[in-house]
Amino acid sequence: MVDCVVTGVMRQPKGPGHLPVEMLLHDAWGKQPSNWQNYSFQTYIKLKHPETDATIETAINRLYYGERIKKPNTTFEAYQKAGPKTNLFVDVVPRIHNFPKHDSSNFATVSILLVLAVLLLLAGAINFSNLAIAKSISRAKEVGVRKVLGSGRRQLVFQFMTETALQCLVSLMIAILLLSFALPYINQTFNITLSFWQQNGALSITLQIAACLLAVILLSGLYPSVYLSRFNAVKVLKGNYSSGKKGALFRNTLIVVQFMVAVFFITAIIVIKSQMSFMQSKDRGFSGQQVMRIQALQATSENHFADNRNVLLTIPGVSYVSKTTKVPGDDVRADTTTFGFKCEGKIYRMSSVKISTDYFKTMNIGLKQGRYFTDEATDQNTRTVVINEAAARKLHFADPIGKNVSFPYCDSIPMRIVGVVKDFNVQGFESEIQPVVFTIGQKACMFQSGGSILVKLNTSHMERSVAAITEAWKKIEPGFPIRYSFVDENFQRLFASYSQLQQIITFFGVIAILISVMGLFALTAFFTRQRTKEIGVRKVLGAGVAQLATLLSREFIYLVLLSVAIITPVTWWLMQKWLQTFAYRISVGWWIFFAAGATAIVIAIVTVSFQSVRAALANPVKSLRSE
């Protein structure tokens, strides 16, 4: 524990950054030259004038080579041209949060969601256009009368566009009201802090909303306005509302685009749900059930670990107590360091994890070859190692037991491989399981700290055991309250972003399907009304309900089939790109696209059939009476 004096208060940042920090502490030992291998820090460089990344990296790596790696008769240029090597890199600070050079970013996901939102908005605008066209019959005579009384096409277009603008403006007001109520739920669900009117972004948001409103008005209102204004006054007053083949082609195109969006969302829902189910059911290689992860001070987990372990083992329900520098389920993106272990004259880059004797038993990690660590002096004094299967594959040994490895710059202290454990997943399923070298103790030239103490519980009275551990911890670390979580819950949180993505895509998909159904339903009603007399004549001449329903539905079903055929290759490519972000993933089978297409076709058939059957069942006498 260190006593510190507050010397300043940082200004609250205006937005998110790459380094969310609440407190800065000066490192009194930061200038010591022995900290090259300490990866706990990020180094910031203030440049006098702009330079390229390559220039800075070359200068830094030249310095690093001269201070740490330099070998006799080997120049820096020769070292750079050699095989695997250690290199340092730089990244521009403003770029790190959204576009980091060697880390993941949520910006790609946000961009995808933005595109999907635009598609949903486009589908809504198309649907509005379809509904306006479907309603055009009821306004056809109004247009005819206005034209007879002297109204021109410009006046009619202006009138209809004004009506559309007013409807869109009212819709925007309702949407803003709904969003104000929904924002707290959205923030809670996705663990974000969005506000509608941000202090520094009100003008930007207003301009974006205005631009979206203008785009929606033009997309949804322009074609119906032009379509209505083109009605021939004489024909519509006689009851002829036909608009020709050009209008039909445009309307059919709208239907195809609308169902392309719907099929895309249906496919995305199936793929994301399948990948989520795969990640939930795949064997992780360990069991984090009833394993407490306790954050401890360095003195607790290093100098006094044996005594603290014995105290915790006396608590009823506690089976094992161990420690590790890398806990499965932790957010370890910043700890992906590998070391150049030497084995039989060759360098192999592998991760290093410090553990205690019972770690593998605590996590229920299976043994593949050899043995686990024991209380023998060689194990406790870092003279032996246990590796995972990935490390055994990297070393290219059929039987690695008995082989020696050594840490970088520690050739004089070889460590013998005594066991191989089964691979287990630490970082989720985005990255492959890395080759790992497990050791006990800090007596092999390299000190490693951090991590946590793990307590394996084996009891049906969890609350009682946790309460007893909490009470015991007051004596272990009297100055700090216990900070604990459970490993399985922490690992589950690694999937939180994908679970949220699934919720968003599902919501978008449901809305897209509803929009498509509404548009198709309206257009079916429109065309059915246009063909009312034809249906009456066919029925009088003996056509049955099934024949009439097929006649009226056939064209729409063909359009939906066309939309499925067009969007399927695009969807397959996009889903493959998304799945490639996972090292362990499902294979996209044909059944997924068949299920998505079949779902869209069934929805279309049900929607169209309702209107078609209704028209086919109508009394033909009523439709022919006015002829």
Side-chain angles (χ1 to χ4, degrees):
M1 186 168 62
V2 179
D3 293 328
C4 300
V5 177
V6 177
T7 58
V9 178
M10 294 181 292
R11 183 179 298 170
Q12 186 73 17
K14 296 180 180 179
H18 75 287
L19 190 67
V21 61
E22 296 180 356
M23 182 177 69
L24 293 175
L25 179 67
H26 179 259
D27 180 20
W29 299 275
K31 293 184 178 180
Q32 292 183 4
S34 60
N35 281 342
W36 281 104
Q37 295 299 124
N38 192 336
Y39 298 99
S40 305
F41 299 90
Q42 296 187 42
T43 302
Y44 291 86
I45 303 173
K46 179 68 173 178
L47 301 177
K48 293 181 178 179
H49 48 80
E51 290 286 356
T52 63
D53 290 3
T55 302
I56 303 171
E57 288 174 358
T58 300
I60 293 175
N61 281 298
R62 187 182 295 276
L63 174 64
Y64 179 67
Y65 174 78
E67 291 286 337
R68 192 68 183 173
I69 304 175
K70 189 173 184 179
K71 299 177 181 179
N73 303 321
T74 303
T75 63
F76 172 71
E77 288 73 18
Y79 170 75
Q80 288 291 314
K81 294 178 181 179
K85 53 188 173 292
T86 299
N87 264 339
L88 306 179
F89 67 91
V90 297
D91 213 342
V92 183
V93 169
R95 191 174 60 199
I96 296 175
H97 181 66
N98 288 326
F99 306 101
K101 187 181 292 185
H102 296 290
D103 198 1
S104 59
S105 169
N106 290 325
F107 193 82
T109 303
V110 172
S111 301
I112 292 171
L113 293 178
L114 178 61
V115 172
L116 297 182
V118 171
L119 288 176
L120 197 60
L121 192 63
L122 177 64
I126 292 173
N127 186 63
F128 185 96
S129 182
N130 286 340
L131 291 173
I133 294 171
K135 197 179 178 183
S136 62
I137 290 180
S138 63
R139 304 196 65 177
K141 290 186 178 180
E142 174 194 342
V143 174
V145 172
R146 286 182 178 275
K147 281 195 171 184
V148 170
L149 294 176
S151 295
R153 286 190 61 187
R154 289 186 179 181
Q155 291 175 298
L156 291 170
V157 169
F158 178 77
Q159 175 194 338
F160 296 135
M161 286 298 294
T162 302
E163 293 175 3
T164 301
L166 289 173
Q167 291 174 335
C168 291
L169 187 60
V170 171
S171 300
L172 175 62
M173 292 178 179
I174 296 173
I176 292 174
L177 182 64
L178 291 175
L179 182 61
S180 63
F181 287 112
L183 262 181
Y185 171 77
I186 294 172
N187 288 335
Q188 181 180 359
T189 303
F190 299 107
N191 193 27
I192 53 180
T193 55
L194 290 177
S195 59
F196 195 81
W197 299 114
Q198 299 178 3
Q199 185 176 1
N200 300 312
L203 179 60
S204 174
I205 291 176
T206 303
L207 292 175
Q208 291 178 52
I209 292 175
C212 289
L213 178 62
L214 180 61
V216 170
I217 291 172
L218 293 175
L219 285 171
S220 58
L222 190 59
Y223 174 67
S225 301
V226 174
Y227 175 81
L228 285 168
S229 68
R230 291 180 63 184
F231 277 145
N232 186 289
V234 177
K235 289 183 178 181
V236 296
L237 291 176
K238 286 183 178 181
N240 184 0
Y241 309 123
S242 177
S243 60
K245 292 184 178 180
K246 291 184 178 179
L249 178 62
F250 190 79
R251 289 192 299 272
N252 291 342
T253 303
L254 295 181
I255 294 174
V256 170
V257 172
Q258 212 169 34
F259 267 89
M260 284 172 59
V261 175
V263 171
F264 170 79
F265 278 115
I266 294 171
T267 309
I269 291 170
I270 297 174
V271 171
I272 294 174
K273 184 174 179 58
S274 299
Q275 177 65 18
M276 285 291 296
S277 299
F278 170 77
M279 292 191 296
Q280 298 285 356
S281 60
K282 182 175 173 58
D283 183 18
R284 303 168 186 172
F286 70 91
S287 174
Q289 188 175 10
Q290 291 195 345
V291 177
M292 286 182 67
R293 173 198 183 281
I294 304 177
Q295 190 67 35
L297 298 175
Q298 184 170 311
T300 303
S301 59
E302 291 292 338
N303 303 337
H304 309 295
F305 173 73
D307 295 335
N308 298 329
R309 173 177 175 271
N310 292 332
V311 170
L312 295 173
L313 283 173
T314 61
I315 296 173
V318 175
S319 299
Y320 299 106
V321 177
S322 61
K323 64 177 180 177
T324 175
T325 55
K326 185 179 291 186
V327 184
D330 279 6
D331 186 2
V332 291
R333 289 177 298 173
D335 187 14
T336 56
T337 309
T338 59
F339 301 92
F341 286 90
K342 184 174 287 188
C343 180
E344 296 191 350
K346 295 181 180 180
I347 303 294
Y348 300 91
R349 297 208 68 88
M350 297 182 286
S351 297
S352 173
V353 177
K354 297 287 185 178
I355 62 174
S356 62
T357 308
D358 291 334
Y359 171 72
F360 298 120
K361 295 178 181 178
T362 303
M363 299 300 297
N364 195 23
I365 297 169
L367 183 67
K368 189 74 174 179
Q369 289 179 265
R371 63 173 176 85
Y372 291 124
F373 286 123
T374 65
D375 291 329
E376 293 181 4
T378 53
D379 290 355
Q380 300 301 317
N381 288 278
T382 326
R383 296 299 181 267
T384 59
V385 303
V386 172
I387 62 175
N388 64 352
E389 292 177 286
R393 289 191 296 270
K394 187 155 191 173
L395 294 173
H396 305 294
F397 289 130
D399 183 11
I401 304 301
K403 305 295 183 181
N404 289 332
V405 298
S406 57
F407 275 104
Y409 321 112
C410 293
D411 296 356
S412 60
I413 307 179
M415 302 174 294
R416 183 168 52 90
I417 300 174
V418 296
V420 179
V421 294
K422 294 181 178 179
D423 284 338
F424 60 97
N425 202 294
V426 176
Q427 299 174 257
F429 295 94
E430 296 90 340
S431 55
E432 293 185 3
I433 296 174
Q434 299 299 310
V436 182
V437 176
F438 299 94
T439 55
I440 292 180
Q442 304 284 3
K443 299 181 181 179
C445 300
M446 183 179 293
F447 181 85
Q448 289 178 253
S449 61
S452 302
I453 291 176
L454 303 177
V455 180
K456 173 67 175 178
L457 302 176
N458 186 17
T459 175
S460 57
H461 304 288
M462 286 285 293
E463 296 84 359
R464 194 180 304 171
S465 297
V466 171
I469 293 172
T470 303
E471 190 64 29
W473 199 261
K474 293 179 181 178
K475 298 179 180 179
I476 295 174
E477 288 188 0
F480 297 94
I482 188 171
R483 294 162 291 171
Y484 74 89
S485 58
F486 285 90
V487 172
D488 55 347
E489 294 177 358
N490 294 342
F491 199 89
Q492 193 66 27
R493 289 192 189 98
L494 296 178
F495 306 138
S497 60
Y498 300 108
S499 178
Q500 292 166 1
L501 179 64
Q502 181 184 359
Q503 294 177 40
I504 294 172
I505 295 295
T506 302
F507 175 77
F508 280 9
V510 171
I511 297 299
I513 293 169
L514 288 176
I515 289 173
S516 301
V517 167
M518 290 170 61
L520 190 60
F521 187 85
L523 281 180
T524 308
F526 168 66
F527 287 115
T528 302
R529 289 180 64 183
Q530 275 192 326
R531 304 176 70 175
T532 301
K533 290 184 175 62
E534 177 192 346
I535 295 169
V537 173
R538 287 180 178 275
K539 200 165 185 182
V540 168
L541 294 176
V545 174
Q547 291 175 303
L548 292 172
T550 303
L551 175 68
L552 296 171
S553 307
R554 184 171 52 197
E555 182 180 356
F556 293 105
I557 303 305
Y558 286 158
L559 293 175
V560 175
L561 286 171
L562 179 62
S563 67
V564 173
I566 294 173
I567 198 62
T568 295
V570 178
T571 307
W572 177 85
W573 181 77
L574 290 173
M575 292 298 100
Q576 287 286 6
K577 293 290 288 184
W578 181 72
L579 287 171
Q580 285 174 6
T581 61
F582 298 91
Y584 306 96
R585 53 185 179 267
I586 62 170
S587 58
V588 182
W590 63 268
W591 69 268
I592 292 177
F593 303 99
F594 177 81
T599 302
I601 292 170
V602 169
I603 291 172
I605 291 174
V606 171
T607 305
V608 173
S609 297
F610 179 82
Q611 289 284 7
S612 302
V613 172
R614 182 182 177 185
L617 290 173
N619 190 342
V621 176
K622 293 182 179 180
S623 61
L624 297 173
R625 182 175 297 169
S626 61
E627 190 62 54

